[in-house]
Amino acid sequence: MRCPTLLALLAGVMLYLVMGALVFRNLESPKESKEHEKLLCTTRDFLGNHSCVTAQNLSDLIKSVVKAVEAGLDVKHSSTNFTSRWDLASAFFFCGTIITTIGFGNLSPRTKWGQLFCVCYALVGIPMFGFLLAGVGDHMGTGLRKAVWKMETLFLKRRISPTYVRIMSAVLSILIGCLIFLAVPTLVFKEVEDWSFLEALYFVVITLTTVGFGDYVAGANRRDGDLFKPLVWLWIVFGLAYFASILTMIGNWLRVLSKKTRAEMEELRAHATDWTQNIQNMSMDFRIPNPLDLNDPFLLQRRRWKRSTRRRVRRGALGHHGRQGVIGENGHLPNRWVSHTRSMTRLEVVRLGGGEVRNEGTRLGPGAVLGADSRVSARSEGRSLGRTVARSLSLSMPAARSVMELDYDLDPVAMMMLQGESVSLSESPESDSRSEVSSSDFHTYDMCTPGQGITFASFDASGSLCTVRGSQGGSRQVFFQEDVRFPVPLQQLPKSHNPTKPIPMSPIFSVKPMPLPMPTPPGCKMLDFFGENLAYIDESSDTLSDRNQPIEGAVSPRPRKPRRRSIRRQLPHRSPLKERRDSDMQPPSNPPTPPPLRD
Amino acid sequence: MSSWYKSWILLTGFILFYVAYLLFGAFVFSTIERPVEDKLKRDIQVLKEEFLNQSCVNATSLENFLERVLQANKYGVSILPNSSASSNWDLASSLFFANTLVTTVGYGHTTPLSDTGKAFSIFYALLGVPFTMLVLTACVQRLMHLVTYGPISMFRQKIGLDPLAATAVHFAILLLVVVLGFFVVPAVVFSYIEDTWSFLDAIYFCFITLCTIGLGDYVPGEKPGQNFRSLYKISVMVYLFVGLMMMYLVLRAFHRMADLHGLTSFFQLPHCDEDIEEDREPIIEAGHEDQHEVEASAKPLDPASQTSYNTINR
């Protein structure tokens, strides 16, 4: 986080506190002084009515009584048979409040040994509870998300914009959680404890945020509520897990909103394009494995080399430009932000990626449709060499066409090449003609390469690659062509963070073919962005249980770059191909040896 | 499928162990505290009897009176002579209250009396708690560079320890520094300022506060006639903030260390976020890169999901 942002946040919190203090003072002081007045009246009356009691006696009595009450005694009932407040159920409840750090305080240890034991107990118990909460929240989140996903597919079938669906599902999940963990307990407490609705709601919120004042404690005054207290504790655990995830989500939103500066938006768009490229390549791996594909030595070797070049770029070997977009000018572009941007076009990406996952025969329809859309936009904006234009274009283009990458040196070239590709694709769906067209495009544009001779020279043998491509089927043609021409751009695929699990993991997206709505117009980008972020945030608290489930079709593990933290967390559990990276330092030789597929 | 089963089994095991832990604690507390409570109750009974005997007050009117007094006391209003000067809701105390609300400590020594106050607390907390978490984690993120990564790399380079040992040593030192600086020293200060607190009481208070439990049995600055009360309360606020930050820092360092040592993967727990690469990118020199590679490759690559307050580290 940037320093100014941090300072601004600190100032914001201070201001928030002062504002709260002012409000509380204005709300509470009058009532407090009123209570004081009433108490003075009562005391005077008492002293007046009972003249044998001196003020001193009275104040002594009051002092002792108050001390007893503070020790946790209940002095109102003057029964002589003693029921301890430290019976097993209450003590259990007390331990529960200690460990969840709620700490009501209506009951607390008074002896030295009790306090010492409390300290040691909490030291062990609090981290343990933290783990438990993580595990419970995990499973709970998965279940909830699955339910929400089922609902979403229902909505998506009706062709509502995915952004709205996402927002709706986020709001809905909050509402469902609120209903289960806030509303129902409020009503229960209202009935059982005989509080007003506001008091019950106040108790529920104060407890679930672990503030735990202790002025209202459920089950405190019941002597026969031995089953009630454990039930309350169970509710606290689940409610805490839920509330923690909700508060995390809100915190993430605040974070997202706090970072919306224009410059960063630009960066994010750049990342998004890069990311869409990654998703494409990822989707290739998530396909039903085609043996020819997986063992394709050229493909794999090319990827490795791209990754290595990408790494060298990141380390500054290829000049300054390469590092800028990745990290951001301030050098502190946080993962989450980047991943958010990536999620910007994720919907289109995955849609298309999902489209490309299936085998080409049935797939060409949607792809071609989108291609047709992009063609117009590609042609209209293709000629500009501006980096930003290229990037904004990539946003509006469907994912399969956007080969924008972070190697800014290559941006303009890639752009134009890309347009060449898309043009060729939309116009000629035949593989043979495409390869011819593409080779002609290649020759047309190669003069524009500003010093990228290295990357292209080694792939001059496009003829051989074309033939390989030709056998792969329609919708992948473009992809491979892009591979040929833009080894460096595509290399970003592994470099940058692994995208949120596009197909198997996320309950929102699935491998099954979904109806592909048209990509949203540029005007809706903001909303898209936010909606995507909601989805992203929703999925970013993704669960171990999700990850541990077997993923069909995911054969070749993608190497993870540890840089993109939040995207890493969505990737299924797979072994890294890190050792492969180290051997990637030299450009591929012909013929390259096929690397092992898995470690 | 086996790893999925494993996670379920581990979770169940965790829950069972946790319940057993709670029962154990309940038993111990009960055994320790009950006798003391007995004695106190008997003393109060005796006091009441004496009072009733030597005066013309009858039991019911005394009961009523006491009920009113206790009610007021619950709200922090006291009838005793020298405590009528300071309000519980002047600006400094309100600020202190807002702070305890937002950091989820929640002492409860003063609570909102009016309905409006309660409703306002709800919304204030709903917004303020994540806000505070955000600020704290942002600060911790920045501090981590200073406190963790720097020393660790220094250990590795100057002393030449391997990463695992370096992180362990660093964590031990960090823990020692935090305990000394944020528990022992403040406890000494508190026990000096507060007359009725012993040293153990003060340490108990520091611990309960910094873990955000906030039982409320000890609250600083509540003594009637406290000098510089506002300043005192505000400095306690600052101590609370900084102490919380340090606790998060320690937690995070521990999490990272556990990651590195493979503990988190063993228990199938969420892993530490990999922001180390990202945030250090521009500052990193060539020498550190292999460390990151080593660290990165040493960590198993399960994504992290933070759902606990205490482990929110972003």
Side-chain angles (χ1 to χ4, degrees), chain A residues 254-309:
Chain A
L254 286 180
R255 220 170 185 240
V256 166
L257 289 176
S258 79
K259 290 190 193 289
K260 269 205 172 118
T261 65
R262 274 191 77 81
E264 295 194 63
M265 283 292 286
E266 282 307 314
E267 299 290 18
L268 298 175
R269 283 192 189 149
H271 296 311
T273 66
D274 168 52
W275 195 87
T276 59
Q277 187 55 48
N278 295 347
I279 263 295
Q280 274 183 306
N281 287 352
M282 280 278 292
S283 72
M284 269 189 51
D285 297 310
F286 281 136
R287 296 194 288 267
I288 314 292
N290 183 353
L292 179 65
D293 215 11
L294 289 171
N295 289 322
D296 181 4
F298 301 105
L299 195 53
L300 293 161
Q301 185 67 26
R302 197 180 335 117
R303 283 205 197 121
R304 270 188 298 128
W305 187 76
K306 281 179 233 154
R307 282 198 295 278
S308 73
T309 315

Coordinates of all heavy atoms in Angstrom, one line a residue, chain A residues 254-309:
Chain A
L254 N -13.7 -1.8 0.7 CA -13.1 -0.5 1.0 C -11.7 -0.4 0.4 O -11.4 0.7 -0.1 CB -13.0 -0.4 2.5 CG -14.4 -0.2 3.3 CD1 -14.1 -0.1 4.7 CD2 -15.0 1.1 2.7
R255 N -11.0 -1.5 0.5 CA -9.6 -1.4 0.0 C -9.7 -1.2 -1.5 O -8.9 -0.4 -2.1 CB -9.0 -2.8 0.2 CG -7.6 -2.7 0.6 CD -7.3 -4.1 1.0 NE -6.0 -4.1 1.5 CZ -5.0 -4.9 1.0 NH1 -5.2 -5.6 0.0 NH2 -3.8 -4.8 1.5
V256 N -10.5 -1.9 -2.2 CA -10.6 -1.7 -3.6 C -11.0 -0.3 -4.0 O -10.4 0.3 -4.8 CB -11.7 -2.7 -4.2 CG1 -12.1 -2.3 -5.6 CG2 -11.2 -4.1 -4.2
L257 N -12.0 0.2 -3.3 CA -12.4 1.6 -3.6 C -11.4 2.6 -3.3 O -11.2 3.6 -3.9 CB -13.7 1.9 -2.7 CG -14.9 1.2 -3.2 CD1 -16.1 1.5 -2.2 CD2 -15.3 1.6 -4.6
S258 N -10.6 2.3 -2.2 CA -9.6 3.3 -1.9 C -8.4 3.3 -2.9 O -7.6 4.2 -2.9 CB -9.0 2.9 -0.5 OG -8.0 1.9 -0.7
K259 N -8.4 2.4 -3.8 CA -7.3 2.4 -4.7 C -7.6 2.9 -6.1 O -6.9 2.7 -7.0 CB -6.7 1.0 -4.8 CG -6.0 0.7 -3.5 CD -5.2 -0.6 -3.7 CE -4.8 -1.2 -2.4 NZ -3.7 -0.4 -1.8
K260 N -8.8 3.4 -6.2 CA -9.2 3.8 -7.6 C -8.7 5.1 -8.0 O -9.3 6.1 -8.0 CB -10.8 3.8 -7.6 CG -11.3 2.5 -7.9 CD -12.7 2.6 -8.5 CE -13.1 1.2 -9.0 NZ -14.2 0.7 -8.4
T261 N -7.4 5.0 -8.4 CA -6.9 6.2 -9.1 C -6.8 6.0 -10.5 O -6.6 4.8 -11.0 CB -5.5 6.6 -8.5 OG1 -4.6 5.5 -8.8 CG2 -5.6 6.7 -7.0
R262 N -6.8 7.0 -11.3 CA -6.8 6.8 -12.7 C -5.6 6.1 -13.2 O -5.7 5.2 -14.0 CB -6.9 8.2 -13.4 CG -8.3 8.7 -13.6 CD -8.3 9.9 -14.5 NE -8.2 9.5 -15.9 CZ -9.2 9.0 -16.6 NH1 -10.4 8.9 -16.1 NH2 -9.0 8.7 -17.9
A263 N -4.4 6.5 -12.7 CA -3.2 5.9 -13.2 C -3.2 4.4 -13.0 O -2.9 3.6 -13.8 CB -2.0 6.5 -12.5
E264 N -3.7 4.0 -11.8 CA -3.7 2.6 -11.5 C -4.7 1.9 -12.3 O -4.5 0.7 -12.7 CB -4.1 2.4 -10.0 CG -2.9 3.0 -9.1 CD -3.1 2.5 -7.7 OE1 -3.0 1.3 -7.5 OE2 -3.3 3.3 -6.8
M265 N -5.8 2.6 -12.7 CA -6.8 2.0 -13.6 C -6.1 1.6 -14.9 O -6.4 0.5 -15.4 CB -7.9 2.9 -13.8 CG -8.9 3.0 -12.7 SD -9.8 1.4 -12.5 CE -10.9 1.5 -13.8
E266 N -5.3 2.5 -15.3 CA -4.6 2.2 -16.6 C -3.8 0.9 -16.4 O -3.8 0.0 -17.3 CB -3.7 3.4 -17.0 CG -4.5 4.5 -17.6 CD -5.4 4.0 -18.8 OE1 -4.9 3.2 -19.6 OE2 -6.6 4.4 -18.8
E267 N -3.0 0.9 -15.4 CA -2.2 -0.2 -15.1 C -3.0 -1.5 -15.1 O -2.6 -2.5 -15.6 CB -1.4 0.0 -13.8 CG -0.5 1.2 -13.8 CD 0.7 1.0 -14.7 OE1 0.7 0.1 -15.6 OE2 1.6 1.7 -14.5
L268 N -4.1 -1.3 -14.4 CA -4.9 -2.5 -14.2 C -5.4 -3.0 -15.6 O -5.5 -4.2 -15.8 CB -6.1 -2.2 -13.3 CG -5.6 -1.7 -12.0 CD1 -6.7 -1.3 -11.1 CD2 -4.9 -2.9 -11.3
R269 N -5.7 -2.1 -16.4 CA -6.2 -2.6 -17.7 C -5.1 -3.4 -18.4 O -5.4 -4.4 -19.1 CB -6.6 -1.4 -18.6 CG -7.9 -0.9 -18.1 CD -8.5 0.1 -19.1 NE -9.7 0.6 -18.5 CZ -10.1 1.9 -18.7 NH1 -9.4 2.6 -19.6 NH2 -11.1 2.3 -18.2
A270 N -3.9 -2.9 -18.3 CA -2.8 -3.6 -18.9 C -2.7 -5.0 -18.3 O -2.6 -5.9 -19.1 CB -1.5 -2.8 -18.6
H271 N -2.8 -5.0 -17.0 CA -2.8 -6.3 -16.4 C -3.9 -7.2 -16.9 O -3.7 -8.4 -17.0 CB -2.8 -6.2 -14.9 CG -1.6 -5.5 -14.4 ND1 -0.4 -5.8 -14.7 CD2 -1.5 -4.4 -13.5 CE1 0.5 -5.0 -14.1 NE2 -0.2 -4.1 -13.3
A272 N -5.0 -6.6 -17.1 CA -6.1 -7.4 -17.5 C -5.9 -8.1 -18.8 O -6.2 -9.2 -19.0 CB -7.4 -6.6 -17.5
T273 N -5.3 -7.3 -19.7 CA -5.1 -7.9 -21.0 C -4.1 -9.0 -20.8 O -4.2 -10.1 -21.4 CB -4.5 -6.9 -21.9 OG1 -3.2 -6.5 -21.4 CG2 -5.3 -5.7 -22.0
D274 N -3.1 -8.8 -20.1 CA -2.1 -9.8 -19.8 C -2.8 -11.1 -19.3 O -2.6 -12.2 -19.6 CB -1.0 -9.3 -18.9 CG -0.2 -10.4 -18.4 OD1 0.4 -11.2 -19.2 OD2 0.0 -10.6 -17.2
W275 N -3.6 -10.8 -18.4 CA -4.3 -11.8 -17.6 C -5.2 -12.6 -18.5 O -5.3 -13.8 -18.4 CB -5.1 -11.2 -16.5 CG -5.5 -12.2 -15.5 CD1 -4.8 -12.6 -14.4 CD2 -6.7 -12.9 -15.5 NE1 -5.5 -13.5 -13.8 CE2 -6.7 -13.7 -14.4 CE3 -7.9 -12.9 -16.4 CZ2 -7.8 -14.6 -14.1 CZ3 -8.9 -13.7 -16.0 CH2 -8.9 -14.5 -14.9
T276 N -5.9 -11.9 -19.4 CA -6.8 -12.7 -20.3 C -5.9 -13.6 -21.2 O -6.4 -14.7 -21.4 CB -7.5 -11.7 -21.3 OG1 -6.6 -11.0 -22.0 CG2 -8.4 -10.8 -20.5
Q277 N -4.8 -13.2 -21.5 CA -3.9 -14.1 -22.2 C -3.6 -15.3 -21.4 O -3.6 -16.4 -21.9 CB -2.6 -13.3 -22.6 CG -1.7 -14.1 -23.5 CD -2.4 -14.5 -24.7 OE1 -3.0 -13.7 -25.4 NE2 -2.3 -15.8 -25.1
N278 N -3.3 -15.0 -20.2 CA -3.0 -16.2 -19.3 C -4.2 -17.1 -19.2 O -4.0 -18.3 -19.2 CB -2.7 -15.7 -17.9 CG -1.5 -14.8 -17.9 OD1 -0.8 -14.8 -18.8 ND2 -1.3 -14.1 -16.8
I279 N -5.3 -16.5 -19.1 CA -6.5 -17.4 -19.0 C -6.7 -18.2 -20.2 O -7.0 -19.4 -20.2 CB -7.8 -16.5 -18.8 CG1 -8.1 -16.5 -17.3 CG2 -8.9 -17.1 -19.5 CD1 -8.4 -17.8 -16.8
Q280 N -6.4 -17.6 -21.4 CA -6.5 -18.4 -22.6 C -5.6 -19.6 -22.5 O -6.0 -20.7 -22.8 CB -6.0 -17.5 -23.8 CG -7.1 -16.7 -24.3 CD -6.5 -16.0 -25.5 OE1 -5.5 -15.3 -25.4 NE2 -7.2 -16.1 -26.6
N281 N -4.3 -19.3 -22.2 CA -3.4 -20.4 -22.1 C -3.8 -21.4 -21.0 O -3.7 -22.6 -21.2 CB -2.0 -19.9 -21.8 CG -1.4 -19.3 -23.1 OD1 -2.1 -19.3 -24.1 ND2 -0.3 -18.6 -22.9
M282 N -4.3 -20.9 -19.9 CA -4.8 -21.7 -18.9 C -5.9 -22.6 -19.4 O -6.0 -23.8 -19.1 CB -5.3 -20.9 -17.7 CG -4.3 -20.4 -16.8 SD -3.7 -21.6 -15.7 CE -5.2 -21.7 -14.7
S283 N -6.8 -22.0 -20.1 CA -8.0 -22.8 -20.6 C -7.5 -23.9 -21.5 O -8.1 -24.9 -21.5 CB -8.9 -21.9 -21.3 OG -8.4 -21.5 -22.6
M284 N -6.4 -23.6 -22.2 CA -5.9 -24.7 -23.0 C -5.5 -25.9 -22.2 O -5.7 -27.0 -22.5 CB -4.7 -24.2 -23.7 CG -5.0 -23.7 -25.1 SD -3.5 -23.4 -26.0 CE -2.7 -24.9 -25.8
D285 N -5.0 -25.6 -21.0 CA -4.6 -26.8 -20.2 C -5.8 -27.4 -19.5 O -5.7 -28.6 -19.2 CB -3.6 -26.3 -19.1 CG -2.4 -25.8 -19.7 OD1 -1.8 -26.4 -20.6 OD2 -2.0 -24.6 -19.4
F286 N -6.8 -26.7 -19.3 CA -7.9 -27.2 -18.6 C -8.8 -28.0 -19.5 O -9.8 -28.6 -19.1 CB -8.8 -26.1 -17.9 CG -8.1 -25.7 -16.7 CD1 -8.0 -24.3 -16.4 CD2 -7.6 -26.6 -15.8 CE1 -7.5 -23.9 -15.2 CE2 -7.0 -26.2 -14.6 CZ -7.0 -24.8 -14.3
R287 N -8.5 -28.0 -20.8 CA -9.4 -28.7 -21.7 C -9.3 -30.2 -21.4 O -8.4 -30.7 -20.7 CB -8.8 -28.6 -23.1 CG -8.8 -27.4 -23.8 CD -8.6 -27.7 -25.2 NE -7.2 -28.1 -25.3 CZ -6.3 -27.2 -25.6 NH1 -6.6 -26.0 -25.7 NH2 -5.0 -27.6 -25.7
I288 N -10.2 -30.9 -22.0 CA -10.1 -32.4 -22.1 C -8.8 -32.6 -22.8 O -8.6 -32.1 -23.9 CB -11.2 -33.0 -22.9 CG1 -12.5 -32.4 -22.4 CG2 -11.2 -34.5 -22.7 CD1 -12.9 -32.8 -21.1
P289 N -7.9 -33.3 -22.2 CA -6.5 -33.4 -22.7 C -6.5 -34.0 -24.1 O -7.0 -35.1 -24.3 CB -5.7 -34.2 -21.7 CG -6.8 -34.8 -20.9 CD -8.0 -34.1 -20.9
N290 N -5.9 -33.4 -25.0 CA -5.7 -33.9 -26.3 C -4.2 -34.3 -26.3 O -3.3 -33.5 -26.2 CB -6.0 -32.8 -27.3 CG -5.8 -33.3 -28.7 OD1 -5.4 -34.4 -28.9 ND2 -6.2 -32.4 -29.7
P291 N -4.0 -35.6 -26.5 CA -2.6 -36.1 -26.4 C -1.7 -35.4 -27.3 O -0.5 -35.1 -26.9 CB -2.7 -37.6 -26.7 CG -4.1 -37.9 -26.7 CD -4.9 -36.7 -26.8
L292 N -2.1 -35.1 -28.4 CA -1.3 -34.4 -29.4 C -0.9 -33.0 -28.8 O 0.3 -32.6 -28.9 CB -2.0 -34.1 -30.7 CG -1.3 -33.4 -31.7 CD1 -0.1 -34.2 -32.2 CD2 -2.2 -33.1 -32.9
D293 N -1.8 -32.4 -28.2 CA -1.6 -31.1 -27.6 C -0.6 -31.1 -26.5 O 0.3 -30.3 -26.4 CB -3.0 -30.7 -27.0 CG -3.2 -29.2 -27.1 OD1 -2.4 -28.6 -27.8 OD2 -4.1 -28.7 -26.5
L294 N -0.8 -32.0 -25.5 CA 0.0 -32.0 -24.3 C 1.4 -32.3 -24.6 O 2.3 -31.9 -24.0 CB -0.6 -33.0 -23.3 CG -1.9 -32.5 -22.7 CD1 -2.5 -33.7 -21.9 CD2 -1.6 -31.4 -21.9
N295 N 1.6 -33.2 -25.6 CA 2.9 -33.6 -25.9 C 3.6 -32.7 -27.0 O 4.6 -33.0 -27.5 CB 3.0 -35.0 -26.3 CG 2.7 -35.9 -25.1 OD1 3.2 -35.6 -24.0 ND2 1.9 -36.9 -25.3
D296 N 2.9 -31.7 -27.3 CA 3.4 -30.9 -28.4 C 4.7 -30.2 -28.0 O 4.7 -29.3 -27.1 CB 2.3 -29.8 -28.7 CG 2.8 -28.9 -29.9 OD1 3.9 -29.2 -30.4 OD2 2.1 -28.0 -30.2
P297 N 5.7 -30.7 -28.5 CA 7.0 -30.2 -28.0 C 7.2 -28.7 -28.3 O 7.8 -28.0 -27.5 CB 8.0 -31.0 -28.8 CG 7.3 -31.6 -29.9 CD 5.9 -31.6 -29.6
F298 N 6.7 -28.3 -29.5 CA 7.0 -26.9 -29.8 C 6.2 -26.0 -28.9 O 6.7 -25.0 -28.4 CB 6.5 -26.7 -31.3 CG 7.3 -27.5 -32.2 CD1 6.6 -28.6 -32.8 CD2 8.6 -27.3 -32.5 CE1 7.3 -29.4 -33.7 CE2 9.3 -28.1 -33.4 CZ 8.6 -29.1 -34.0
L299 N 5.0 -26.4 -28.6 CA 4.2 -25.6 -27.8 C 4.8 -25.4 -26.4 O 4.9 -24.3 -25.8 CB 2.8 -26.2 -27.7 CG 1.7 -25.3 -27.1 CD1 1.6 -24.1 -27.9 CD2 0.4 -26.1 -27.2
L300 N 5.2 -26.6 -25.9 CA 5.7 -26.5 -24.5 C 7.0 -25.8 -24.4 O 7.3 -25.0 -23.5 CB 5.8 -28.0 -24.0 CG 4.5 -28.7 -23.8 CD1 4.7 -30.1 -23.8 CD2 3.8 -28.2 -22.5
Q301 N 7.8 -26.1 -25.4 CA 9.1 -25.4 -25.4 C 9.0 -23.9 -25.6 O 9.6 -23.2 -24.9 CB 9.9 -26.0 -26.6 CG 11.4 -25.5 -26.6 CD 12.1 -26.0 -25.4 OE1 11.8 -27.0 -24.8 NE2 13.1 -25.2 -25.0
R302 N 8.0 -23.6 -26.4 CA 7.8 -22.2 -26.6 C 7.4 -21.5 -25.3 O 7.8 -20.4 -24.9 CB 6.8 -22.0 -27.7 CG 6.8 -20.6 -28.2 CD 5.8 -20.3 -29.3 NE 5.4 -21.6 -30.0 CZ 4.2 -22.1 -30.0 NH1 3.3 -21.5 -29.3 NH2 3.9 -23.2 -30.6
R303 N 6.5 -22.2 -24.6 CA 6.0 -21.6 -23.4 C 7.1 -21.5 -22.4 O 7.2 -20.5 -21.7 CB 4.9 -22.5 -22.8 CG 3.6 -22.4 -23.5 CD 2.5 -22.7 -22.6 NE 1.3 -23.0 -23.4 CZ 0.7 -24.1 -23.4 NH1 1.1 -25.1 -22.7 NH2 -0.4 -24.2 -24.2
R304 N 7.9 -22.4 -22.3 CA 9.0 -22.3 -21.4 C 9.9 -21.2 -21.7 O 10.4 -20.4 -20.8 CB 9.8 -23.6 -21.3 CG 9.3 -24.6 -20.3 CD 10.2 -25.8 -20.2 NE 10.3 -26.6 -21.4 CZ 11.5 -26.9 -22.0 NH1 12.6 -26.6 -21.4 NH2 11.5 -27.5 -23.1
W305 N 10.2 -21.1 -23.0 CA 11.1 -20.0 -23.3 C 10.5 -18.6 -23.0 O 11.1 -17.7 -22.6 CB 11.5 -20.1 -24.8 CG 12.5 -19.1 -25.1 CD1 13.8 -19.2 -24.8 CD2 12.3 -17.9 -25.8 NE1 14.5 -18.0 -25.3 CE2 13.6 -17.2 -25.9 CE3 11.2 -17.2 -26.3 CZ2 13.7 -16.0 -26.5 CZ3 11.3 -16.0 -26.9 CH2 12.6 -15.4 -27.0
K306 N 9.2 -18.6 -23.3 CA 8.5 -17.3 -23.0 C 8.5 -17.0 -21.6 O 8.8 -15.9 -21.2 CB 7.0 -17.4 -23.4 CG 6.8 -17.3 -24.9 CD 5.3 -17.4 -25.2 CE 5.1 -18.5 -26.3 NZ 3.8 -19.1 -26.1
R307 N 8.4 -18.0 -20.8 CA 8.4 -17.7 -19.3 C 9.8 -17.2 -18.9 O 9.9 -16.3 -18.1 CB 8.1 -19.0 -18.5 CG 6.7 -19.4 -18.5 CD 6.4 -20.3 -17.4 NE 7.0 -21.6 -17.6 CZ 6.5 -22.6 -18.4 NH1 5.4 -22.4 -19.0 NH2 7.2 -23.7 -18.5
S308 N 10.8 -17.8 -19.5 CA 12.1 -17.4 -19.1 C 12.4 -16.0 -19.6 O 12.9 -15.2 -18.8 CB 13.2 -18.4 -19.7 OG 13.3 -18.1 -21.1
T309 N 11.9 -15.7 -20.8 CA 12.1 -14.3 -21.2 C 11.4 -13.4 -20.4 O 11.8 -12.3 -20.0 CB 11.6 -14.2 -22.7 OG1 12.1 -15.3 -23.4 CG2 12.1 -12.9 -23.3

